Amino acid sequence: MHSELLKGVPLFEGLSDDELHALSDVALLRVFPKDRVVIMAEEEGDSLFVIHQGQVKVSIVSEDGREVILSILGEGNFFGEMSLLDGHPRSANVTTTQETELLMVRRTDFLHFIQRSPQTAIKLLSVLASRLRKTDRKIEGLALSDVTGRITQTLLQLAEEQGSPTPDGVLIKDRPTHQDLANMSGTTRETVSRILKRLENQAYIVPRGKDLLIVGSETQQGDKIE
Ligand code: CMP
């Protein structure tokens, strides 16, 4: 039933039609409104979620009650795999940032599936490895950069993950709110607003309604805003 949807998901790339059908038989499609908590940290978890449409943020709450955003995941991404793999409670909160359509697969079905599809297991490991790399970069950034550096790094990461190249630079559609950018960069909303204004005055960024243009950022070549 959902095999066409599954076909477009990088994790399931290269699977045969039969395999996709087998998986789609056990997948459930659900629509979540904006700002809905899909996964709550510390709860028991028994489903994997694949984003068919929309976006979620992965976050934890620091000891002093501040939200720390670990990642923003968009279409084709998945989450909820950690509890399935290690049997521990959910490691973070996952909340929709817009109306989001999710495919849900139960633990037993997914584990059964990857046992028969080493290809999917390898893709899963490769995504986990790149998430760990990103987290390593983030820790390095939090430890080393000043606040302008951290916000700039967050913008470049968003451009790399979600941006579309345009002749003028990389466009981040539906950019996170200033509060979310603050929670991704370990600072306050006021500081984000002040620094974005400065980057705008220096013509590094151009706000375009709900979108944000990062001028001259060729993220694929690894260039950085200085
Ligand atoms: P799980 O622990 O089952 O539930 C929360 C999910 O958030 C987790 O699985 C991962 O899918 C996701 N998650 C946790 N930490 C990160 C991270 N640093 N980057 C991206 N996704 C994450």
Side-chain angles (χ1 to χ4, degrees):
M1 176 173 58
H2 307 304
S3 53
E4 281 307 309
L5 307 186
L6 293 171
K7 222 178 216 170
V9 174
L11 180 62
F12 305 128
E13 227 167 60
L15 293 184
S16 69
D17 284 349
D18 282 351
E19 286 172 311
L20 286 171
H21 277 120
L23 188 61
S24 92
D25 282 345
V26 296
L28 206 77
L29 185 67
R30 276 190 61 188
V31 182
F32 290 78
K34 183 177 186 294
D35 295 330
R36 179 63 56 89
V37 177
V38 182
I39 282 183
M40 188 108 72
E42 302 305 334
E43 288 194 340
E44 291 301 310
D46 86 328
S47 297
L48 170 89
F49 297 83
V50 178
I51 306 173
H52 173 238
Q53 230 164 44
Q55 192 185 63
V56 299
K57 62 178 172 183
V58 180
S59 65
I60 48 176
V61 178
S62 68
E63 265 181 23
D64 57 0
R66 278 178 308 124
E67 181 190 45
V68 178
I69 298 181
L70 302 174
S71 185
I72 296 213
L73 304 174
E75 280 164 31
N77 268 296
F78 60 85
F79 57 91
E81 77 295 341
M82 288 170 64
S83 290
L84 297 201
L85 295 172
D86 67 9
H88 287 289
R90 297 297 197 186
S91 60
N93 301 303
V94 182
T95 315
T96 57
T97 57
Q98 45 185 261
E99 187 181 86
T100 300
E101 275 182 45
L102 297 174
L103 280 160
M104 294 169 56
V105 183
R106 282 200 332 233
R107 175 171 210 259
T108 42
D109 292 326
F110 186 67
L111 293 183
H112 191 218
F113 183 79
I114 53 175
Q115 268 161 12
R116 286 175 298 152
S117 171
Q119 192 182 347
T120 305
I122 290 169
K123 285 235 169 75
L124 180 73
L125 289 172
S126 131
V127 175
L128 293 184
S130 70
R131 282 185 189 167
L132 188 55
R133 280 180 195 279
K134 270 182 207 152
T135 304
D136 288 354
R137 283 215 310 258
K138 196 161 199 166
I139 292 171
E140 187 187 19
L142 288 175
L144 299 179
S145 303
D146 62 6
V147 69
T148 307
R150 296 204 300 273
I151 294 170
T152 306
Q153 190 186 39
T154 298
L155 292 177
L156 287 170
Q157 194 184 334
L158 284 168
E160 190 180 309
E161 288 172 5
Q162 299 167 25
S164 357
T166 74
D168 304 329
V170 178
L171 189 69
I172 302 171
K173 291 225 166 83
D174 272 335
R175 64 152 178 80
T177 62
H178 287 191
Q179 184 63 60
D180 279 348
L181 287 171
N183 296 350
M184 294 166 85
S185 315
T187 184
T188 61
R189 185 176 54 76
E190 291 75 12
T191 304
V192 166
S193 302
R194 183 168 51 78
I195 286 172
L196 289 189
K197 195 86 228 138
R198 206 173 74 208
L199 291 174
E200 185 186 340
N201 290 339
Q202 293 170 334
Y204 287 128
I205 60 172
V206 180
R208 290 194 175 160
K210 286 168 78 182
D211 304 339
L212 185 70
L213 184 74
I214 312 287
V215 179
S217 151
E218 309 244 350
T219 55
Q220 275 163 343
Q221 289 164 31
D223 289 354
K224 290 225 158 55
I225 294 174
E226 299 294 348

